[in-house]
Amino acid sequence: MEFKNSTFIKLLIVQCLSVFGLAQNFDFFYFVQQVSDLISSLQKSWPTLACPSGNGLSFWSHEWAKHGTCSEAVLDQHGYFKSALKLKAQIDLLQILLGAGINPDGGSYSISSIQNAVRNAIGSTPGIECNVDAS
């Protein structure tokens, strides 16, 4: 998705206002720049499921601040998202789970059965947490 300058400026202003309005509650902030050449890939492969109609910028900013910054010694923001997209393309998680009889049908599956399915397919055990936040 290509942003027009006015749209980009509006998003930047909204983000700055949010930061300054909340500044009293935090010790520091990360300045997160857009990963413009990856946006269409991110929208397709890493959409925000909490707000499917959203453009994803807030979601990806959160992902970078919460997870990506841990990789800053090796990957900058662009490299982090590019690597995540490359990994997703290499590992078809849905197919791995389907192959283990774990279907996206609203059923319940144990964390260990999901971990075992992924470990058997890729050789590493994933860390999995259940979201208990009702919102």
Side-chain angles (χ1 to χ4, degrees):
M1 178 171 135
E2 219 172 80
F3 288 107
K4 295 184 178 180
N5 286 338
S6 63
T7 303
F8 174 73
I9 291 170
K10 287 176 189 173
L11 289 172
L12 185 59
I13 290 170
V14 168
Q15 288 177 345
C16 287
L17 290 174
S18 297
V19 167
F20 292 121
L22 299 173
Q24 59 194 354
N25 297 325
F26 297 97
D27 294 329
F28 62 92
F29 291 97
Y30 285 103
F31 175 67
V32 180
Q33 297 178 13
Q34 289 189 33
V35 191
S36 60
D37 64 317
L38 298 176
I39 293 222
S40 63
S41 296
L42 287 168
Q43 287 175 327
K44 178 182 176 206
S45 298
W46 198 353
T48 171
L49 300 178
C51 182
S53 63
N55 64 12
L57 294 178
S58 294
F59 169 66
W60 301 317
S61 292
H62 163 79
E63 292 301 302
W64 168 252
K66 176 108 176 157
H67 308 290
T69 53
C70 295
S71 69
E72 277 185 303
V74 179
L75 299 169
D76 62 8
Q77 184 185 46
H78 186 272
Y80 169 76
F81 285 109
K82 187 174 181 179
S83 295
L85 290 169
K86 182 178 178 184
L87 182 61
K88 184 179 185 301
Q90 291 173 343
I91 298 173
D92 187 345
L93 186 58
L94 180 59
Q95 194 55 49
I96 289 170
L97 295 174
L98 288 172
I102 300 169
N103 302 301
D105 57 8
S108 295
Y109 301 92
S110 69
I111 290 177
S112 62
S113 65
I114 297 169
Q115 286 176 317
N116 289 336
V118 175
R119 182 179 46 248
N120 291 340
I122 67 170
S124 296
T125 303
I128 300 173
E129 295 179 9
C130 294
N131 183 357
V132 294
D133 182 359
S135 65

